[in-house]
Amino acid sequence: MERIVAQYYIETPLPVEKAAAVLAGEQSSGTFVDIPGETDELKKRFAAKVEAIQLLDVVDTPATPGPSRIGQQYQRANIWVSWSVENFGNNLPVMISTLQGNLYELTQFTGLKLMDITLPDTMTQQFRGPQFGIDGCRKLTGVYNRPLIGTIIKPSIGLTPTQTADIVSVLVAAGIDFIKDDELLSSSANSPFAARVDAVMAVINAYADKTGKKVMYAFNISDDMDDMQRNYDKIVEAEGTCAMISLNSVGTSAVKKICDRGELAIHGHRNGWGMFNRHPLLGIEFPAYQKLWRLAGVDQIHVNGIQNKFWESDDSVVKSIESCLEPITGMQTVLPVVSSGQWGGQAPETYRRTKTTDLLYMAGGGILGHPAGASGGVKALQQAWKGAIEGQSIEEIARQHPEFALSVAKFGKK
Amino acid sequence: MERIVAQYYIETPLPVEKAAAVLAGEQSSGTFVDIPGETDELKKRFAAKVEAIQLLDVVDTPATPGPSRIGQQYQRANIWVSWSVENFGNNLPVMISTLQGNLYELTQFTGLKLMDITLPDTMTQQFRGPQFGIDGCRKLTGVYNRPLIGTIIKPSIGLTPTQTADIVSVLVAAGIDFIKDDELLSSSANSPFAARVDAVMAVINAYADKTGKKVMYAFNISDDMDDMQRNYDKIVEAEGTCAMISLNSVGTSAVKKICDRGELAIHGHRNGWGMFNRHPLLGIEFPAYQKLWRLAGVDQIHVNGIQNKFWESDDSVVKSIESCLEPITGMQTVLPVVSSGQWGGQAPETYRRTKTTDLLYMAGGGILGHPAGASGGVKALQQAWKGAIEGQSIEEIARQHPEFALSVAKFGKK
């Protein structure tokens, strides 16, 4: 039977073989004493197996609190652990509990991070994965050979549906490809979900009828299960093309249920991600995270951005983008959503590092805060990406394009 | 309009007022530049508000990586931030995105942990909360004036339904109150869910018919949404009383959808919890966490145990138990599930620290690994709790009760 392999970056006060064996025991048949019924045959079939260990550095201070004593040293290592897929079949939540369950609490580890997962084909074949993915999102928006340019409605919360639609009018006329709700807004006292969909889609549909260009709007449907279904129906009825879900807040089973419908592209927002990832030796790394959400069927997923306003390094962002584009047999790739403090000046570096235009490139203030208005902001972003693909520097692009030059003047001096 | 208040424990290289203002801005109307439409009126109604700041110690090394420089100092503090409930109404996922969204990634913080939440009555009134809670679980099991004694089927994974039912027979005859699946097992190659329910409930129902005592079995229904519903139906049909869900793996919206059915007590397993909580300055503390799951409607929730096999301190476990028992207006309390390395020897200290018997006290190896068999194990646990309530020490209880004395001899010498 094929096996799923997880790579963990760990730190332990014990010999690594011993710590790894504890992890494997806890995450398969184990309890803290030998008990009747745990036969060798049963262990062989269902037990987790430590496949490989790679020793790294030794440190004097534990990464996270645990039983520590003076003079104690802590070994860091990469370890690879496998499970038979017959333990959980195509049950994503139980797979997650297997890969990321009680093991974070074991005293045998002072640090543990799930770095990546290798999924056997027989397992991934049981999942449809993204229904639209990159190709589908390009087809829905009619954008090819460059990133989709997107923006977020700001202020995040407080606008009425009419006020939101007014901003959408400006953005649509400015040539935007994609717009999204903020994650703080789904249905609020002064912006009921259905009323916002009606107001926004009237603008988008009218523009599409006139020009043939259909802007994708990701309405935030995050809510209780039934409300999400109702919100989804509302978007379909209004001829929208996309729904947004806050992945961590809604959770795996409900996200998958929504993705399974397959009528709308699903924009996966990763807000809350920092708590899983900010510590170098605790939680989960993005390559593993995006695979789980790809199995659930998400079409677009946030990856932060180069030179972002958050703590994350450019190296980490590049790795995240690359992981989204890495093929999984029989499954579409997921569109990386680049955002956070982006205004176009990061386009040359983003392209230089990733060599891809398969991105949804989001600018919030960078578009609506542009000195020449939203139209200038969208133009500036298109100019930035055209120049980036041609290998131009920020200065070269600014010399050729007045709108981008204005962006540089306003956003580039921080 | 009433406001929800969140308490965060934070660390920042900036003046705390400034860092707190950034958090409030990010989690309400903000982007990184001023933009049109963000009026003072809108800000006043929808913006987050920093309610209070309590300065704590200053340290030289940041708790989590961020932009650091030599000589930099980091101020720790408690801060209280509030939002109007009209921002999200009764939408739990959007409330979670508001309380725990992008803020963990802000460079302005080198550490941030959500410690507690104060929910206004007008908000909690919109949630039913636990359908059974402590009183309901007592009624379903007929256990009063002492903790429910429970155990976990081990080995965690690999047993057939018949083998599982055989263990259940032994446990039921031994006088157990509660049994649960392991979180690693829902439906596996050799233990299909429905077959396991049939085999186990045949034993439990036969014993209930004979004696009047109905043992509660928490079948792990964690799965895709539709499969969870089908699994739930199966339990109801077989006259079971409880379903278990791995809360973090399944997620808020699907858990709430299941809890809303209200026919079965919901056993909330917190596996994966370590990644949210192990670091002192990252993630979420249990008092906040259990409130979110109580709003979703979970009836029982794991709190680890005194002198557990994991890293967590006794103080933290005590705080978790107390938080489950803290009233929320118009809502039932949630039954704390004490587990991890428990064998009864921890009962006196657990009672001394918490003064409650409103617990589901779980022992795995402590029961099935007892020298006199499961019957001896269950007796030992009941003896331990009887003695604990009477204020006896481990030694005093062991002198009076041979079964507990055997437990002390086997498990007490580590």
Side-chain angles (χ1 to χ4, degrees):
Chain A
M1 184 57 67
E2 285 196 283
R3 299 178 75 81
I4 181 168
V5 182
Q7 179 197 342
Y8 300 97
Y9 173 43
I10 62 112
E11 183 190 277
T12 175
L14 302 178
V16 176
E17 298 72 23
K18 203 171 161 187
V22 170
L23 184 160
E26 175 71 26
Q27 289 311 96
S28 45
S29 50
T31 177
F32 70 107
V33 291
D34 285 335
I35 57 147
E38 193 169 10
T39 64
D40 287 346
E41 182 202 15
L42 184 152
K43 273 189 189 171
K44 198 172 166 194
R45 181 167 172 195
F46 295 98
K49 189 176 155 195
V50 180
E51 298 283 351
I53 289 174
Q54 175 192 32
L55 295 182
L56 303 169
D57 52 325
V58 174
V59 297
D60 295 325
T61 312
T64 58
S68 65
R69 55 181 175 77
I70 292 165
Q72 179 73 63
Q73 290 201 308
Y74 303 86
Q75 174 77 51
R76 293 181 177 175
N78 282 314
I79 64 173
W80 285 262
V81 181
S82 73
W83 289 265
S84 168
V85 296
E86 72 174 338
N87 286 26
F88 40 76
N90 65 352
N91 185 325
L92 204 48
V94 174
M95 183 178 119
I96 292 169
S97 288
T98 303
L99 299 173
Q100 307 184 68
N102 283 338
L103 68 179
Y104 294 98
E105 298 188 59
L106 297 171
T107 45
Q108 287 84 358
F109 296 91
T110 50
L112 188 144
K113 196 168 205 173
L114 175 60
M115 302 301 281
D116 206 350
I117 318 165
T118 307
L119 303 161
D121 291 353
T122 47
M123 186 183 176
T124 57
Q125 279 159 11
Q126 297 180 71
F127 292 85
R128 189 177 68 182
Q131 174 74 352
F132 293 90
I134 293 169
D135 291 348
C137 291
R138 287 202 178 283
K139 202 172 289 177
L140 286 171
T141 54
V143 176
Y144 298 94
N145 305 315
R146 63 167 176 82
L148 279 69
I149 304 294
T151 194
I152 307 136
I153 296 289
K154 298 275 176 184
S156 310
I157 184 153
L159 300 176
T160 63
T162 307
Q163 288 172 318
T164 302
D166 287 346
I167 297 177
V168 169
S169 287
V170 172
L171 290 165
V172 163
I176 199 96
D177 306 314
F178 176 96
I179 309 170
K180 69 180 269 294
D181 283 337
D182 192 88
E183 73 270 18
L184 299 175
L185 172 66
S186 176
S187 203
S188 72
N190 74 337
S191 187
F193 187 85
R196 190 165 73 255
V197 172
D198 284 335
V200 166
M201 288 312 300
V203 173
I204 287 175
N205 289 334
Y207 189 80
D209 289 345
K210 203 171 65 178
T211 66
K213 181 177 174 69
K214 179 116 181 185
V215 173
M216 181 179 274
Y217 191 107
F219 294 98
N220 181 17
I221 64 170
S222 305
D223 206 326
D224 287 358
M225 190 73 243
D226 294 348
D227 292 315
M228 285 204 291
Q229 295 277 24
R230 191 158 41 240
N231 292 344
Y232 190 104
D233 291 340
K234 177 68 202 174
I235 300 171
V236 172
E237 175 205 309
E239 298 175 22
T241 55
C242 185
M244 163 174 151
I245 308 183
S246 290
L247 303 175
N248 304 316
S249 305
V250 165
T252 311
S253 301
V255 169
K256 183 163 189 299
K257 173 77 179 163
I258 292 292
C259 291
D260 282 346
R261 292 191 55 173
E263 295 168 88
L264 299 173
I266 300 299
H267 181 90
H269 200 293
R270 70 175 193 182
N271 63 81
W273 166 243
M275 74 192 278
F276 309 137
N277 180 256
R278 182 144 181 189
H279 194 281
L281 258 155
L282 186 64
I284 178 170
E285 279 286 280
F286 191 81
Y289 180 81
Q290 62 85 22
K291 276 183 194 167
L292 296 173
W293 290 114
R294 241 204 271 190
L295 290 178
V298 166
D299 296 291
Q300 311 173 350
I301 194 165
H302 280 242
V303 295
N304 209 337
I306 295 286
Q307 297 153 29
N308 60 75
K309 67 175 174 175
F310 295 141
W311 74 280
E312 193 180 357
S313 73
D314 287 356
D315 285 351
S316 174
V317 174
V318 168
K319 193 176 68 173
S320 295
I321 292 172
E322 288 170 348
S323 71
C324 291
L325 305 176
E326 195 186 295
I328 295 176
T329 311
M331 200 173 280
Q332 297 211 63
T333 48
V334 56
L335 181 63
V337 181
V338 175
S339 75
S340 173
Q342 302 293 303
W343 56 271
Q346 298 96 333
E349 180 67 3
T350 306
Y351 189 73
R352 189 184 73 77
R353 298 283 311 262
T354 64
K355 292 292 178 219
T356 188
T357 57
D358 283 338
L359 302 170
L360 168 49
Y361 189 81
M362 304 281 297
I367 289 178
L368 285 171
H370 191 275
S375 171
V378 172
K379 279 204 192 88
L381 284 163
Q382 290 173 346
Q383 293 159 355
W385 271 99
K386 186 168 177 291
I389 295 164
E390 290 167 5
Q392 293 181 320
S393 68
I394 292 178
E395 294 71 26
E396 287 165 337
I397 304 169
R399 269 198 296 276
Q400 289 177 21
H401 301 288
E403 289 85 3
F404 184 68
L406 284 172
S407 290
V408 174
K410 177 155 185 186
F411 307 119
K413 301 295 175 195
K414 288 186 302 177
Chain B
M1 183 58 67
E2 286 197 281
R3 300 178 74 81
I4 181 168
V5 183
Q7 179 196 343
Y8 300 97
Y9 173 42
I10 63 111
E11 183 190 277
T12 176
L14 303 178
V16 176
E17 297 72 23
K18 203 172 162 186
V22 170
L23 185 158
E26 175 72 25
Q27 290 310 97
S28 46
S29 51
T31 177
F32 69 106
V33 290
D34 283 336
I35 57 148
E38 195 167 8
T39 62
D40 285 347
E41 181 202 16
L42 184 153
K43 274 188 186 169
K44 196 173 168 198
R45 181 165 172 198
F46 294 98
K49 188 175 156 199
V50 180
E51 299 283 352
I53 290 173
Q54 175 192 31
L55 296 183
L56 302 169
D57 51 327
V58 173
V59 297
D60 294 325
T61 311
T64 59
S68 65
R69 54 180 177 79
I70 292 165
Q72 179 72 64
Q73 289 200 309
Y74 303 86
Q75 174 76 51
R76 293 181 176 172
N78 282 314
I79 65 174
W80 286 261
V81 181
S82 73
W83 290 264
S84 167
V85 297
E86 72 174 336
N87 286 26
F88 39 76
N90 65 352
N91 185 326
L92 203 48
V94 174
M95 183 178 120
I96 291 170
S97 288
T98 304
L99 298 173
Q100 307 184 67
N102 284 336
L103 67 178
Y104 293 99
E105 298 189 58
L106 296 171
T107 46
Q108 286 84 358
F109 296 91
T110 51
L112 188 144
K113 198 168 204 171
L114 175 60
M115 303 301 282
D116 206 350
I117 318 164
T118 308
L119 302 161
D121 290 353
T122 47
M123 185 179 177
T124 57
Q125 278 159 11
Q126 299 181 69
F127 292 85
R128 188 176 70 182
Q131 174 74 351
F132 294 90
I134 293 169
D135 290 348
C137 291
R138 287 202 178 283
K139 203 172 288 179
L140 285 171
T141 54
V143 177
Y144 299 94
N145 305 314
R146 63 167 175 84
L148 278 69
I149 304 294
T151 193
I152 308 134
I153 296 290
K154 299 276 178 184
S156 310
I157 184 155
L159 299 176
T160 62
T162 308
Q163 288 172 320
T164 303
D166 287 348
I167 296 177
V168 170
S169 287
V170 172
L171 290 165
V172 164
I176 199 99
D177 306 314
F178 176 97
I179 309 171
K180 68 180 270 293
D181 283 337
D182 192 89
E183 72 271 16
L184 300 175
L185 173 66
S186 176
S187 202
S188 72
N190 75 337
S191 188
F193 187 85
R196 190 166 72 256
V197 172
D198 283 335
V200 167
M201 288 312 301
V203 174
I204 286 175
N205 289 335
Y207 189 80
D209 288 346
K210 203 172 64 180
T211 67
K213 180 178 174 70
K214 179 116 181 188
V215 173
M216 181 179 274
Y217 191 106
F219 295 98
N220 181 18
I221 64 169
S222 306
D223 206 328
D224 288 357
M225 190 73 242
D226 293 348
D227 292 315
M228 284 205 290
Q229 295 277 25
R230 190 157 43 239
N231 292 345
Y232 189 105
D233 291 339
K234 177 68 203 175
I235 300 171
V236 172
E237 175 206 308
E239 297 174 21
T241 54
C242 185
M244 162 174 152
I245 308 183
S246 289
L247 303 175
N248 304 314
S249 305
V250 165
T252 312
S253 301
V255 169
K256 182 163 189 300
K257 173 77 179 163
I258 292 293
C259 291
D260 282 346
R261 293 191 54 174
E263 295 167 89
L264 300 173
I266 300 299
H267 180 89
H269 199 294
R270 69 175 193 182
N271 63 82
W273 166 243
M275 74 192 278
F276 309 137
N277 180 257
R278 183 145 180 188
H279 194 282
L281 258 155
L282 186 63
I284 178 171
E285 280 285 280
F286 192 81
Y289 180 81
Q290 62 85 24
K291 276 185 194 166
L292 296 174
W293 290 113
R294 240 204 271 189
L295 290 179
V298 166
D299 297 291
Q300 310 174 351
I301 194 164
H302 280 243
V303 295
N304 209 339
I306 295 286
Q307 297 153 30
N308 60 76
K309 65 175 174 174
F310 295 139
W311 73 281
E312 192 179 356
S313 72
D314 287 356
D315 284 352
S316 174
V317 174
V318 168
K319 193 176 67 172
S320 295
I321 292 172
E322 288 169 348
S323 71
C324 293
L325 304 177
E326 196 185 294
I328 296 177
T329 312
M331 200 173 281
Q332 297 212 63
T333 49
V334 55
L335 181 63
V337 181
V338 175
S339 75
S340 173
Q342 301 293 304
W343 56 272
Q346 297 97 333
E349 179 68 2
T350 306
Y351 189 74
R352 189 184 73 77
R353 298 285 309 264
T354 64
K355 292 290 177 221
T356 188
T357 57
D358 282 338
L359 303 170
L360 169 49
Y361 190 82
M362 304 281 296
I367 289 178
L368 284 170
H370 191 274
S375 170
V378 172
K379 279 204 192 86
L381 284 163
Q382 290 173 345
Q383 292 160 356
W385 271 98
K386 185 168 176 293
I389 295 163
E390 289 167 7
Q392 294 181 317
S393 68
I394 293 178
E395 295 68 27
E396 286 166 336
I397 304 169
R399 269 198 295 275
Q400 288 178 21
H401 301 289
E403 289 85 2
F404 184 67
L406 284 171
S407 291
V408 174
K410 178 156 184 185
F411 307 118
K413 301 296 177 192
K414 288 187 299 177

